[in-house]
Amino acid sequence: MSSSSSSSSSPPCPKKMITLKSSDGETFEIEEIAALQSKTLENMIDENCASTPIPLPNVKGKILAKVVEFCTKHAEAGADAETLRAWDAEFVGVEHAIVFDYILAANFLEIPTLLDLACESVAEMIKGKTPDEIRKFFNINNAFSPEEEEDVRRQNQWAFE
Amino acid sequence: MEPGRADEVGSSSPSGSGVSTSQLTEDGAIRVDDRCPKQVSPIRGGGSRNTSPLSRAGSRNTSPSRQKVIKTKPRGLDEETAATFSKIVHPDVQMEDNIWAMLPEDLLNEILARVPPFMIFRLRSVCRRWNSILQDSSFLKFHSQVPSHGPCLLTFWKNSQTPQCSVFSLPLKTWYRIPFNFLPPWAFWLIGSSGGLVCFSGLDGLTFKTLVCNPLTQTWRTLPSMHYNQQRQLIMVVDRTDRSFKVIATSDIYGDKSLPTEVYDSKLDIWSLHQIMPAVNLCSSKMAFCDSTLYLETLSPLGLMLFRLDRGLWEHIPAKFPRSLLDGYLVAGTQKRLFLVGRIGLYSTLQSMRIWELDHGKNTWVEISRMPPKYFRALFRLSAERFECFGQDNLICFTSWNQGKGLIYDVDKKVWSWIAGCALQSYNSQICFYEPRFDASIN
């Protein structure tokens, strides 16, 4: 019987650990299978760059710890969809600054599930806000003149009712 | 066939490609005035879409013990936000306001792509840049990749001149009166909707015309005329991956049956002629489209008439209908699933509404669900009650205008529930499922 796959990327070893190093020098271990949630890390593993700690200069330790937690949770086999959703909801139920960091980290590490989750949570925040509150939230200068603003508002009035 | 019938049912049922159909109801029109108390139950968005943990409706963990300990003062939530998502409170601290300003534009677009499409219109009054968000290609790209918003209902009613169009979002439990002023005066029948596009037909003088529009972008165009100027039974089929759509025109139960079937292809922008539907006795003009096939019910020979879109040919299969079937609505589900919906039993006390699914291998209808008596009683006070039935993505909707309410059966979850927050607004509206999409192109 021939040996198992001989393609360039070997199947992930269940217990193989990858080491990640945050921007502030902390190291974290993550199972390879969990690391594959990140396309960035997946590429590095494929190219066999994963033997030494992978430096992630864009992610600080506090956030990397949470990202590892997220990926590990999502890599668990047999997770009940409902339970996972609840876990996810709790994961993003944190201060804005942290959600912001999740978005940046998920983008940098190309973790679609985390990016989705974090962006969705911000979208939820925006949903209930008035235009004025949104301007404050995003620190946007209102570049409309009062007439322009009135015009735009009128055109889109149906969405406010 | 007169143009005056305003009680056509539009239904849309996208499978891999999307579908919408126009149907005629044949139930009597007895009005009943008493109302049942509305049951409020959240509806989960259909199928495998919208798996966000913070989805606005459906099962959520709202137990207080799950809240994080919040050190800063929570921002007060208004009624709408409290009702629409879980009780997680996001603290708004003054000093944090600046962090979002540092978000790269791409990531801002990722966030905005996840705001419900209807609410994007509110965002346009924030600033100039956001006002032109609908032209931003990065936003549109992300929007096209994000899971669908969830099932919406589009209702259309034409009273002499002005079209009244409203969209009900099931996830948001809200009605939106999207402006439909762009519709030409001849647009009279709602054919259906699929993949974000909506199809109308009507008679412009003596010419039978069809148009396709995207209500969100307010874009529309009239399709070229068919080869034969005849009022036809239409169905629109959208292929989102291909970014194209087709419209199939067949003869309806009253119309001239000697005309060839015509198919419009948006990529070629022409109608092509295909086989004439063989002479059969149609049960009704109700149609459903799935798996590249159009299905109609026939009385003699008993069974289903199929139009294979890729071949342009008709064939008949002798799928026998259940005995004592009173009405037979064909509803397409996802992939190859085809459902038959209707009442069994002549006597009102013994009637039940049932749903069957076609076993394609054996060409038989297999019962998959029955409407629980409490819902049946609430919807159908009299045996000849007018109701409409249509479906999309394995959701089957029942609306009874007389009761002003809608009921949904989720085939995958096997759950019956009232559509919460949806007081159906007028009699004689045409209705179909609708998926709000900015990226649905009319070309």
Side-chain angles (χ1 to χ4, degrees):
Chain A
M1 192 159 135
S2 61
S3 60
S4 55
S5 93
S6 52
S7 59
S8 54
S9 60
S10 47
C13 207
K15 283 306 169 191
K16 181 165 172 210
M17 304 300 276
I18 311 279
T19 310
L20 308 173
K21 188 152 147 200
S22 70
S23 59
D24 41 4
E26 279 188 72
T27 54
F28 299 89
E29 290 223 309
I30 181 174
E31 288 182 14
E32 185 179 280
I33 199 162
L36 293 178
Q37 307 246 341
S38 153
K39 290 204 176 60
T40 310
L41 294 179
E42 186 185 359
N43 292 337
M44 289 180 159
I45 291 168
D46 264 357
E47 289 163 21
N48 281 315
C49 306
S51 41
T52 55
I54 302 177
L56 300 174
N58 292 19
V59 192
K60 45 188 202 255
K62 178 174 142 191
I63 299 299
L64 190 52
K66 295 296 282 179
V67 171
V68 168
E69 191 187 327
F70 179 88
C71 292
T72 309
K73 180 76 181 178
H74 277 249
E76 271 173 20
D80 171 53
E82 285 297 318
T83 322
L84 193 60
R85 261 191 294 274
W87 189 92
D88 278 350
E90 210 184 320
F91 188 80
V92 283
V94 293
E95 294 96 69
H96 290 177
I98 299 184
V99 178
F100 179 85
D101 284 332
Y102 286 164
I103 293 178
L104 294 181
N107 184 48
F108 170 67
L109 290 169
E110 289 186 80
I111 308 172
T113 38
L114 180 58
L115 185 66
D116 222 12
L117 178 64
C119 286
E120 274 264 11
S121 79
V122 181
E124 286 287 336
M125 285 182 223
I126 297 179
K127 236 173 72 174
K129 289 181 159 48
T130 63
D132 220 20
E133 288 168 328
I134 293 177
R135 285 184 207 121
K136 278 225 284 284
F137 187 80
F138 285 99
N139 201 23
I140 296 174
N141 280 325
N142 182 9
F144 282 137
S145 70
E147 298 83 35
E148 272 179 313
E149 183 171 349
E150 183 51 44
D151 228 11
V152 175
R153 167 99 193 189
R154 216 176 347 105
Q155 279 170 31
N156 299 290
Q157 186 56 35
W158 62 267
F160 287 91
E161 275 145 20
Chain B
M1 164 82 179
E2 293 122 60
R5 289 196 69 154
D7 55 351
E8 277 192 85
V9 174
S11 88
S12 63
S13 38
S15 37
S17 27
V19 164
S20 63
T21 173
S22 89
Q23 302 179 340
L24 293 172
T25 56
E26 274 143 27
D27 306 279
I30 299 174
R31 301 263 153 89
V32 173
D33 269 319
D34 49 324
R35 306 228 181 284
C36 285
K38 258 206 287 260
Q39 298 174 34
V40 176
S41 54
I43 303 262
R44 200 65 213 285
S48 55
R49 300 168 302 171
N50 198 351
T51 54
S52 156
L54 297 176
S55 57
R56 303 87 186 166
S59 45
R60 304 180 295 250
N61 188 332
T62 54
S63 127
S65 62
R66 287 266 182 176
Q67 282 184 359
K68 287 257 180 220
V69 171
I70 295 157
K71 293 171 193 156
T72 53
K73 181 170 165 234
R75 176 172 173 268
L77 291 173
D78 57 28
E79 274 307 289
E80 185 203 11
T81 35
T84 51
F85 60 91
S86 68
K87 297 207 173 120
I88 295 169
V89 175
H90 298 288
D92 242 357
V93 182
Q94 286 306 106
M95 67 179 105
E96 287 188 342
D97 285 351
N98 283 323
I99 57 163
W100 295 109
M102 302 189 299
L103 200 62
E105 188 164 329
D106 253 21
L107 292 180
L108 176 64
N109 283 332
E110 286 265 23
I111 292 172
L112 294 180
R114 289 160 171 87
V115 171
F118 306 112
M119 293 186 146
I120 293 283
F121 291 90
R122 295 191 188 188
L123 302 183
R124 294 175 83 182
S125 35
V126 168
C127 65
R128 276 211 189 99
R129 177 153 81 85
W130 287 31
N131 190 22
S132 48
I133 193 175
L134 297 182
Q135 283 86 44
D136 186 322
S137 51
S138 153
F139 166 77
L140 289 172
K141 182 182 77 163
F142 294 135
H143 166 79
S144 67
Q145 292 163 354
V146 157
S148 165
H149 166 65
C152 299
L153 295 178
L154 179 102
T155 66
F156 173 69
W157 176 49
K158 191 87 183 282
N159 93 353
S160 64
Q161 291 310 320
T162 39
Q164 309 279 337
C165 237
S166 284
V167 175
F168 181 76
S169 157
L170 272 77
L172 298 177
K173 301 188 187 57
T174 314
W175 284 97
Y176 293 99
R177 303 204 65 178
I178 302 181
F180 265 77
N181 311 317
F182 57 83
L183 275 187
W186 54 261
F188 193 81
W189 291 290
L190 172 66
I191 299 303
S193 169
S194 166
L197 293 179
V198 185
C199 182
F200 291 90
S201 70
L203 286 167
D204 188 5
L206 291 174
T207 315
F208 182 68
K209 289 185 175 172
T210 316
L211 77 79
V212 160
C213 68
N214 180 339
L216 284 191
T217 58
Q218 302 270 296
T219 51
W220 67 282
R221 69 179 174 99
T222 307
L223 300 186
S225 301
M226 298 191 286
H227 292 262
Y228 295 90
N229 179 23
Q230 268 279 315
Q231 189 171 316
R232 310 293 295 268
Q233 203 66 9
L234 302 176
I235 191 164
M236 177 176 68
V237 176
V238 167
D239 187 337
R240 282 204 63 214
T241 40
D242 201 27
R243 294 179 66 78
S244 68
F245 65 89
K246 294 195 166 104
V247 181
I248 307 173
T250 66
S251 303
D252 65 24
I253 194 170
Y254 305 109
D256 182 348
K257 303 232 183 45
S258 67
L259 296 178
T261 309
E262 301 202 37
V263 177
Y264 172 80
D265 186 336
S266 69
K267 295 193 110 162
L268 306 169
D269 194 27
I270 54 163
W271 290 89
S272 52
L273 294 173
H274 300 272
Q275 189 189 16
I276 302 173
M277 184 175 4
V280 290
N281 271 325
L282 290 177
C283 268
S284 69
S285 300
K286 298 176 187 124
M287 313 196 275
F289 186 94
C290 66
D291 188 32
S292 300
T293 309
L294 181 65
Y295 292 86
L296 283 98
E297 298 161 281
T298 57
L299 268 177
S300 58
L302 196 60
L304 293 171
M305 201 66 200
L306 278 61
F307 180 70
R308 302 274 187 205
L309 187 58
D310 37 14
R311 279 178 255 147
L313 296 173
W314 292 91
E315 67 186 75
H316 187 266
I317 60 173
K320 281 222 205 78
F321 294 108
R323 291 186 64 183
S324 315
L325 181 68
L326 281 185
D327 18 43
Y329 288 90
L330 284 180
V331 175
T334 55
Q335 282 138 26
K336 297 180 200 254
R337 305 184 74 172
L338 183 67
F339 307 110
L340 175 70
V341 186
R343 289 173 293 185
I344 289 279
L346 286 171
Y347 303 106
S348 56
T349 47
L350 300 175
Q351 268 187 11
S352 68
M353 179 77 72
R354 304 193 196 176
I355 302 175
W356 295 264
E357 181 169 353
L358 186 69
D359 176 331
H360 291 278
K362 299 193 189 121
N363 281 340
T364 51
W365 292 102
V366 177
E367 187 177 314
I368 60 170
S369 186
R370 262 180 224 200
M371 189 186 287
K374 63 174 177 181
Y375 294 116
F376 187 81
R377 281 193 295 270
L379 271 182
F380 308 105
R381 310 295 281 177
L382 296 174
S383 60
E385 182 91 23
R386 250 194 77 214
F387 73 99
E388 291 170 8
C389 175
F390 52 95
Q392 172 178 294
D393 287 342
N394 295 349
L395 292 180
I396 301 177
C397 181
F398 299 82
T399 60
S400 164
W401 296 119
N402 300 329
Q403 306 303 323
K405 53 200 343 176
L407 181 72
I408 285 215
Y409 179 63
D410 185 326
V411 174
D412 296 323
K413 300 199 167 81
K414 300 185 176 27
V415 168
W416 291 90
S417 49
W418 294 112
I419 303 176
C422 175
L424 295 167
Q425 293 174 336
S426 60
Y427 306 134
N428 291 327
S429 283
Q430 302 171 62
I431 185 170
C432 65
F433 273 111
Y434 165 67
E435 189 191 339
R437 298 221 68 99
F438 291 114
D439 58 333
S441 169
I442 54 167
N443 297 311

